[in-house]
Amino acid sequence: MQQEYGCLNITGTILSKQKIIEIVKNGYVRDWDDPCLFTLIMLRRCGFPPGAILAFVNQLGVTKAKTNVQVVKLEQTVRQYLETSVPHLMLVLKLLKVIIDDLPDEYIKMVEVPYSKDPSFGSCEVPFTKMVYIEKLDFCEVDSPDYFCLVPSKTVGLMKAPYPITATLYEKDPKTSEITCVHAKYEKPVEGSPAKKVKIYIHWVGESPKHNSPKCAEVRVFNQLFKLEDPSSHPDGFLADINPESEQIFANSFIETGFDEICRSAPWPKEKNKDSGEGEGEAKGKEAEHHTAVEPYSI
């Protein structure tokens, strides 16, 4: 007996093979595995775990009607899956140098940073020094009620660093008026006094040539391929709706030194039965006992 099901569409992209062929032939993307597309080969290349895709489909259910799903729902499902299945690292895309003036030039404190909320992933040690780098978006010249990151005279925490910092002043490029450096004070409490409380913690990467930190990397951020949620609705055709900023390249980003260990132990996520040392039958039995679907394949 033949069963027919409705078509699933994801907003901001095209899933039709004929239209994808046209996009590829016209050079809007590199190939069928371009990260801006939503083909199976792209999902494999970008590391979408099969378990995350299954979780996404299970949330939607099966229907005979045509369905349009927001792309953010897919991204959120994948993010939630990766939260507990892969290690995490601190990465700074747009660099802003922070100098902690009251720390000695040679100051180095090795800070233990866990790879995940799951303790089984382990941790790595990264150098916390007088000079660190943060995201440019994590600093603002003027404070506002809805801004919680670093501004002059405001204190924020640095992820896993012993104590928070308070911005004191900043420097600008005289030609571009762009902020190039922030000076800060290290809020180490006097002995016997409690540490200063903060509302937010920001990520950072410390500078320490001795520890080969930071590591420079080129990072590519892929945004929605089309500007409209339904590209086919554009009056001049879907090709006229291509987003020129669908790919952003950050040529000089900084990443923490734990990246080396993550590369050595790749690929991620790990097979659950391999990590636990269980045989395939034993692993399946335990999965069935907990009513959890076993992932029989990888993409």
Side-chain angles (χ1 to χ4, degrees):
M1 179 178 176
Q2 182 177 347
Q3 296 286 338
E4 294 185 1
Y5 301 99
C7 178
L8 170 63
N9 291 317
I10 298 176
T11 60
T13 190
I14 291 291
L15 300 179
S16 164
K17 287 190 291 185
Q18 288 75 18
K19 291 181 178 179
I20 291 177
I21 290 173
E22 200 170 342
I23 294 172
V24 174
K25 283 185 176 180
N26 283 280
Y28 292 108
V29 295
R30 296 179 182 85
D31 209 335
W32 283 74
D33 64 348
D34 191 285
C36 289
L37 296 175
F38 277 83
T39 58
L40 286 176
I41 193 172
M42 165 273 183
L43 297 178
R44 179 168 61 240
R45 177 188 176 189
C46 290
F48 277 60
I53 299 174
L54 289 173
F56 173 67
V57 174
N58 288 336
Q59 288 178 11
L60 299 177
V62 179
T63 176
K64 293 185 178 181
K66 183 178 179 180
T67 307
N68 292 313
V69 180
Q70 296 282 336
V71 67
V72 292
K73 189 168 185 178
L74 171 61
E75 293 171 347
Q76 182 183 19
T77 303
V78 174
R79 194 176 295 113
Q80 288 174 346
Y81 186 91
L82 295 176
E83 185 72 24
T84 56
S85 61
V86 297
H88 299 73
L89 297 169
M90 292 192 290
L91 168 72
V92 179
L93 292 176
K94 295 182 178 180
L95 308 174
L96 179 59
K97 181 167 61 177
V98 177
I99 299 176
I100 307 173
D101 293 318
D102 50 346
L103 288 180
D105 292 341
E106 67 280 1
Y107 180 86
I108 297 178
K109 170 74 174 178
M110 299 307 294
V111 177
E112 185 177 3
V113 180
Y115 284 129
S116 172
K117 294 178 180 178
D118 184 349
S120 65
F121 280 87
S123 61
C124 67
E125 286 192 334
V126 298
F128 174 64
T129 60
K130 180 184 179 73
M131 185 183 299
V132 299
Y133 295 89
I134 65 171
E135 286 284 352
K136 281 190 175 181
L137 292 177
D138 285 339
F139 178 80
C140 188
E141 297 178 62
V142 182
D143 198 5
S144 63
D146 57 347
Y147 188 79
F148 300 100
C149 292
L150 200 60
V151 296
S153 301
K154 180 177 277 190
T155 303
V156 300
L158 299 176
M159 293 288 291
K160 300 302 179 181
Y163 303 106
I165 61 172
T166 301
T168 54
L169 54 93
Y170 55 89
E171 301 174 11
K172 281 188 173 184
D173 187 314
K175 295 181 179 179
T176 63
S177 296
E178 185 178 357
I179 298 173
T180 57
C181 178
V182 174
H183 291 262
K185 175 186 176 184
Y186 194 46
E187 296 291 353
K188 184 177 181 179
V190 179
E191 188 175 350
S193 302
K196 198 169 184 177
K197 293 184 178 180
V198 295
K199 291 183 178 180
I200 193 169
Y201 289 84
I202 60 177
H203 62 281
W204 55 277
V205 177
E207 182 172 284
S208 174
K210 178 181 177 181
H211 299 89
N212 295 320
S213 177
K215 302 189 73 66
C216 189
E218 179 182 285
V219 179
R220 299 185 181 188
V221 176
F222 296 94
N223 303 309
Q224 199 166 278
L225 182 58
F226 297 93
K227 291 177 280 187
L228 296 175
E229 288 195 349
D230 181 10
S232 300
S233 65
H234 195 285
D236 297 325
F238 71 97
L239 291 178
D241 190 48
I242 294 286
N243 177 14
E245 296 183 355
S246 59
E247 179 182 359
Q248 293 178 289
I249 300 177
F250 299 90
N252 296 298
S253 299
F254 283 172
I255 192 168
E256 66 170 85
T257 53
F259 180 71
D260 291 332
E261 177 59 30
I262 296 304
C263 288
R264 282 193 292 268
S265 56
W268 298 89
K270 300 294 185 183
E271 295 288 342
K272 293 181 180 179
N273 60 331
K274 289 181 181 179
D275 281 352
S276 61
E278 298 169 343
E280 185 178 355
E282 183 181 354
K284 286 186 178 180
K286 289 191 175 182
E287 292 287 350
E289 181 181 348
H290 290 85
H291 308 286
T292 304
V294 178
E295 299 167 13
Y297 58 88
S298 60
I299 61 172

